[in-house]
Amino acid sequence: MRRGCHLFCNFARMKIFTSAQIHELDQYTIEHEPISSFDLMERAARALTYAITERWGKATPVVVFAGPGNNGGDALAVARMLAEKDYRVEAYLFNISGQLSADCNKNKQIVAEHRRIKSFTEVTQQFDPPKLDADTLVVDGLFGSGLNKPLAGGFASLVKYINQSPAQVVSIDIPSGLMTEDNTMNVLANIIKANVTLTLQQKKLAFLFPENQQFIGDLKVLDIRLSPQFIENEKTQYSVAEESDLRELMKTRSPFAHKGDMGNALIIAGSYGMAGAAVLAAKACLRAGAGKVTVNTPKRNNDIVQISVPEAVVMHDYDDTHFSEPVETQDFDAVGMGPGMGQSENTAIAMIAQVRRTQCPLVLDADALNMLAKHRAWVQQLPKDIIMTPHPKEFDRLSGTPSADSYERLCKARDMAERLHAYVILKGHYSALCTPDRRVIFNSSGNAGMATAGSGDVLTGIITGLLARGYKHEEACLLGMYLHGLAGDLAVRETGEESMVAGDIIRYLPKAFLTITE
């Protein structure tokens, strides 16, 4: 069937359901509201029709392509409702196999007898496609969230015909040809490229992956009042953390607090020529609330760090240019390591020695992850609950094999988090936290302006600072991702996406904290 998807973790309200769970949500709503499946289809069609009429006026000619399932039933109901609002509607129902769903068949009978629809064609064999002009609106209702294999044959040809036309396309629930979760083996040329996707009730997992954005266009989620009881009680591995959920995690400071109560963080970062990475991580760590921050960096970086971050303590490495010796960490509450460290063999040996002797919460990023990728046997030596924050290429190097797409990469990260009992944050537009118990929690803040050098160093500093403040590992990851993205969202109003730099994210961290607490 088709109905929406939702996002969830143990505390979050927004769940992402699989295709099978979407079907179960439909059935549960039908049985427990109670409501007939046809009336539920009518409810969805009314929401879809309203959204279409908000965007396109009555002068827009509409061509509806309906498939044989319930997604097609939705499309036929929309065709009828648009015609009743004086839109000029041509409807095509593709019944190649002679097997329509019951509700699709019922809507076919209604549409076939409807006098206000300009034309209705049931395609059983040959199909002569209509002309699709630039002013035409195509309503795509061929296939919904139940699709489990790539489109082929005539349907693939129809998709290519629509995509090659200048017409505007609005897809019902999900662009036809796109599968709800895994599109690793899909044929991308056989997926509708929608200008607008009107998804029902909840987002789909596939909507969160960058390579699928070309098919989705503008996304709008329509509430069709599916069972809130099912949504609340159903367990799922995927979720999106929202501000209302994260606000509950925020700690408050005692009026009598002193810096010793606020945590002592250590940042191990920067090689000669990369002092900026240490500066960004340290500044972010301080802005995240850590009472004291120490930066371990080579001697040649001393002046830059001391001048740029006067609030931090500088600890010199024995070497002038790179990290070469592990340090004691018994006095620290959290350690962040990796930004700008370089990848010399001497540094790699010192890095794994530091990992082994660090007893407090530990965040690994950037060069620390790249050095692990070069010495993959070391991965099994990582302590439990370690936090790793790779971007996609860093993760592929760490996992040992390139990933075909974001879904495959996410599955690998989830497996790694479980195997190592670690927290893995896959960075991206929707950064995803993979937890040791195989949950995946997506972040909902951030923008494309944050795709800039140093942005990841800032995230490392924020998470390290939150850990030092006493947040648990999962809390620090979730709050860190959200505050990082929120600061970017606040900064972009001033800088725009093109001109944003990592320092702007740090500059807006105070406003991000104020926003989430107020």
Side-chain angles (χ1 to χ4, degrees):
M1 289 181 74
R2 70 265 183 253
R3 315 287 184 218
C5 98
H6 227 104
L7 303 141
F8 157 94
C9 75
N10 287 339
F11 68 86
R13 298 172 185 169
M14 290 194 65
K15 301 180 181 180
I16 302 177
F17 288 148
T18 63
S19 177
Q21 288 174 312
I22 293 167
H23 176 74
E24 292 171 9
L25 173 57
D26 273 1
Q27 293 304 310
Y28 187 94
T29 302
I30 290 166
E31 294 170 11
H32 291 81
E33 185 170 333
I35 184 174
S36 71
S37 59
F38 184 80
D39 286 340
L40 182 58
M41 185 174 285
E42 288 287 288
R43 183 192 293 174
R46 284 193 294 272
L48 290 161
T49 301
Y50 180 78
I52 291 171
T53 57
E54 274 192 315
R55 188 156 183 152
W56 289 277
K58 295 179 182 179
T60 305
V62 179
V63 176
V64 175
F65 292 121
N70 280 350
N71 195 258
D74 287 339
L76 292 177
V78 168
R80 165 173 38 95
M81 293 178 187
L82 286 174
E84 290 169 351
K85 294 180 180 293
D86 297 326
Y87 284 76
R88 291 180 294 120
V89 180
E90 298 177 56
Y92 295 84
L93 171 62
F94 292 85
N95 187 13
I96 308 301
S97 65
Q99 295 180 335
L100 301 178
S101 72
D103 290 333
C104 183
N105 187 59
K106 188 173 181 178
N107 264 309
K108 181 196 85 167
Q109 295 170 3
I110 296 172
V111 168
E113 299 172 0
H114 204 284
R115 295 182 179 179
R116 301 184 71 175
I117 290 180
K118 180 181 176 182
S119 67
F120 170 67
T121 304
E122 183 175 3
V123 180
T124 56
Q125 292 182 349
Q126 297 299 318
F127 172 55
D128 185 18
K131 186 177 180 181
L132 303 178
D133 297 320
D135 61 345
T136 302
L137 173 64
V138 170
V139 177
D140 161 36
L142 293 172
F143 295 96
S145 60
L147 187 70
N148 57 14
K149 61 182 179 181
L151 297 185
F155 284 116
S157 297
L158 175 58
V159 166
K160 291 175 182 176
Y161 176 75
I162 294 170
N163 286 345
Q164 290 168 3
S165 79
Q168 292 278 297
V169 181
V170 57
S171 287
I172 292 176
D173 201 30
I174 187 170
S176 293
L178 186 66
M179 286 179 268
T180 309
E181 294 97 35
D182 183 5
N183 288 275
T184 305
M185 304 303 293
N186 208 342
V187 180
L188 302 188
N190 299 345
I191 301 173
I192 286 285
K193 291 185 176 180
N195 299 97
V196 177
T197 298
L198 301 175
T199 200
L200 301 175
Q201 198 66 45
Q202 303 146 312
K203 294 178 181 178
K204 312 294 185 287
L205 181 62
F207 294 172
L208 303 181
F209 300 139
E211 59 267 26
N212 295 334
Q213 302 313 304
Q214 60 179 314
F215 308 114
I216 297 163
D218 295 336
L219 177 65
K220 186 171 184 179
V221 181
L222 304 181
D223 183 4
I224 60 169
R225 305 194 309 279
L226 297 181
S227 172
Q229 291 81 16
F230 182 95
I231 293 170
E232 181 179 354
N233 296 327
E234 181 72 3
K235 303 298 183 184
T236 181
Q237 290 182 329
Y238 302 105
S239 68
V240 170
E242 295 186 307
E243 185 173 308
S244 57
D245 307 308
L246 299 174
R247 185 176 294 117
E248 300 174 4
L249 301 180
M250 293 295 294
K251 295 181 179 293
T252 57
R253 292 190 175 218
S254 166
F256 298 94
H258 57 81
K259 67 180 181 183
D261 299 327
M262 296 298 103
N264 188 7
L266 172 63
I267 298 292
I268 303 175
S271 55
Y272 182 56
M274 293 291 289
V279 169
L280 291 169
K283 281 186 174 182
C285 190
L286 284 161
R287 286 294 190 188
K292 183 180 178 182
V293 174
T294 299
V295 182
N296 180 283
T297 196
K299 292 178 182 178
R300 286 197 182 185
N301 290 342
N302 177 78
D303 292 353
I304 296 173
V305 177
Q306 290 278 27
I307 294 170
S308 301
V309 199
E311 300 90 347
V313 175
V314 178
M315 177 189 297
H316 298 141
D317 190 271
Y318 292 105
D319 194 277
D320 286 346
T321 61
H322 64 273
F323 180 64
S324 63
E325 293 287 342
V327 298
E328 295 299 329
T329 60
Q330 62 267 25
D331 294 331
F332 295 101
D333 299 299
V335 175
M337 181 165 59
M341 286 180 68
Q343 300 180 48
S344 71
E345 190 62 20
N346 192 23
T347 297
I349 293 169
M351 182 274 297
I352 192 61
Q354 185 68 66
V355 168
R356 291 177 185 136
R357 71 165 58 182
T358 299
Q359 300 300 314
C360 57
L362 177 61
V363 184
L364 294 186
D365 181 36
D367 283 335
L369 300 176
N370 291 326
M371 287 183 282
L372 282 176
K374 291 180 179 179
H375 302 81
R376 295 189 62 244
W378 290 352
V379 173
Q380 302 306 318
Q381 302 177 32
L382 298 177
K384 285 186 176 181
D385 296 326
I386 195 169
I387 297 171
M388 295 184 283
T389 61
H391 59 56
K393 288 186 178 180
E394 287 171 344
F395 180 81
D396 285 350
R397 289 193 287 266
L398 191 61
S399 68
T401 56
S403 300
D405 63 4
S406 297
Y407 179 80
E408 182 180 348
R409 185 177 295 110
L410 184 66
C411 291
K412 290 179 181 178
R414 189 176 57 183
D415 291 342
M416 180 181 291
E418 180 185 38
R419 184 175 69 255
L420 300 178
H421 203 280
Y423 294 85
V424 179
I425 296 177
L426 275 179
K427 293 184 290 195
H429 181 74
Y430 290 104
S431 291
L433 170 63
C434 302
T435 67
D437 57 359
R438 294 186 64 80
R439 285 177 295 121
V440 178
I441 308 166
F442 291 93
N443 182 49
S444 57
S445 63
N447 61 80
M450 300 174 70
T452 183
S455 181
D457 304 334
V458 174
L459 178 62
T460 297
I462 294 172
I463 294 174
T464 305
L466 293 172
L467 289 168
R469 278 278 284 117
Y471 287 93
K472 297 177 181 177
H473 291 75
E474 184 172 322
E475 295 172 344
C477 291
L478 293 175
L479 280 170
M481 289 192 301
Y482 189 81
L483 288 164
H484 180 253
L486 179 58
D489 290 338
L490 294 169
V492 79
R493 300 174 189 175
E494 175 191 332
T495 66
E497 290 185 346
E498 296 300 329
S499 297
M500 186 185 297
V501 295
D504 296 324
I505 303 172
I506 298 172
R507 190 158 51 90
Y508 274 88
L509 263 178
K511 288 188 177 180
F513 272 96
L514 288 173
T515 299
I516 197 172
T517 53
E518 292 175 357

